Amino acid sequence: MSITYREVKADILRQITQGELAPGSSMPNEVDLAASYGCARATVNRAMRELADDGIIERRRKAGTRVRLNPIRQVRLNIPIVGQEIEELGAAYRYALVHGQAEPAPNWLRARMALKRDDRVLHLTCMHYADGAPYQHEDRWINLGALPEAEQHDFSDIGPNEWLVSTVPFTDAQISFHAVQADATFADYLDCTEGDALFQAERMTWLEGQTITFVQLTYRRGHRLTMQY
Amino acid sequence: MSITYREVKADILRQITQGELAPGSSMPNEVDLAASYGCARATVNRAMRELADDGIIERRRKAGTRVRLNPIRQVRLNIPIVGQEIEELGAAYRYALVHGQAEPAPNWLRARMALKRDDRVLHLTCMHYADGAPYQHEDRWINLGALPEAEQHDFSDIGPNEWLVSTVPFTDAQISFHAVQADATFADYLDCTEGDALFQAERMTWLEGQTITFVQLTYRRGHRLTMQY
DNA sequence: TTACGCCTTATGTCTATATCTTTTGAGAAA
DNA sequence: TTTCTCAAAAGATATAGACATAAGGCGTAA
């Protein structure tokens, strides 16, 4: 077979990493590259498009393609369901519902989730264990105005995350990571000392503009989120 | 013009999100889809390829394409240089070199960076300020065996990150995020209280299998890393 | 029954060509 | 000089057709 887009991509990347193509320098256009590689323009296009997607090069119509001065470093972060995350670690997963109650939304949550004055929420507190040891504390609020069937559902066996993913699988979300100090409750549930630094994720989820759920995930002491790029 | 791959992609996504195509169900093959949309197979292919890339559908040769049972939730995380990060917040950026010294690698670092017994490292400590307030504390070690020119370089004006990016722009890296308690040093530099929970990133960088640098980035109290998906 | 090896099929990719869109730069007009 | 308009350039995308590759499934031989 003739040359593949992967080979073209690899060759261009090699030229860039080995300094044959300097950062900031502009590259030949697609037609010329296709001619020099002896392949079709579409092949070069795909290679270049992926390189642009990877943040290595920068493409602009008419202006042409150039090697980025500061290549964009980016990673892909998979957001797993905690049960899968634990099982991928090779540990046994156990789930426990600590507390579940439908209630009027407190003010701070109403503001945060953009709820209406009378909206009720289902407040769930859960624990996730890996090999019997506390792994993650989950504090979740579900908007019952948007998802009334949640009130009837029994969360003692399967976690709200799994239920939500199977009930409303395709949503928009915002996730944020930060550090918090363990208060007495976290110290208790996560088997650590009050004041310990804990890694926490917060996620808000929307379905067609409507806020579905807000969740605070607090990890056991020492948790790390690791990625390659 | 006729139908675009974006329209095809959007239509398939709509069918999935609105439940016309159930999770786990298999989809028509590319030839049939192309016929039903009245476009070329390549157009359908690109739409489907992107959906697969987004973790919405799953494709296997011969087996065909099906909607993922558990759509993979993933985000793209850009790793900015701290100066750019601060300027994008609309704040004034200031950099300061706290400490810089070439020294033999301590044992823990030798192990971590996989250095040889006699390798020396350049240990740099820096601070990054946003509008005059502490933003990030940087503790960095550069492998002088791999990058001897670092020892001659003066880091008082530009940060080691920027220098590294312009010197060895294309590297492999691993990044990890976690929470730490502020010790006296951090409390001092980051203007917080000892014991405060701080968000910390650690990054190790390789060039062609050789460890270049290890860095610990500790953010000011309350820092959040936020992403949409 | 089991294991091996074809055959078929769906996706993966390339070619060659054409049209569309965006953007820039030149030239005209104010 | 400044602003507007238009044409050319380069990437973005569409098409039709072909071949490549992986893998499920069935038939045959052990």
Side-chain angles (χ1 to χ4, degrees), chain B residues 176-195:
Chain B
S176 95
F177 299 109
H178 57 278
V180 293
Q181 268 186 292
D183 60 15
T185 311
F186 286 140
D188 216 9
Y189 281 117
L190 293 170
D191 192 18
C192 64
T193 308
E194 216 174 313

Side-chain angles (χ1 to χ4, degrees), chain B residues 150-169:
Chain B
E151 191 164 3
Q152 307 312 321
H153 195 267
D154 177 17
F155 290 102
S156 21
D157 287 332
I158 68 154
N161 201 348
E162 283 173 79
W163 181 77
L164 282 164
V165 164
S166 63
T167 308
V168 277

Side-chain angles (χ1 to χ4, degrees), chain B residues 1-2 4-6 39-43 46 60-62:
Chain B
M1 207 210 264
S2 58
T4 69
Y5 83 92
R6 287 166 191 279
C39 67
R41 184 165 81 98
T43 306
R46 178 146 182 207
R60 262 163 50 231
R61 279 166 157 147
K62 164 71 183 174

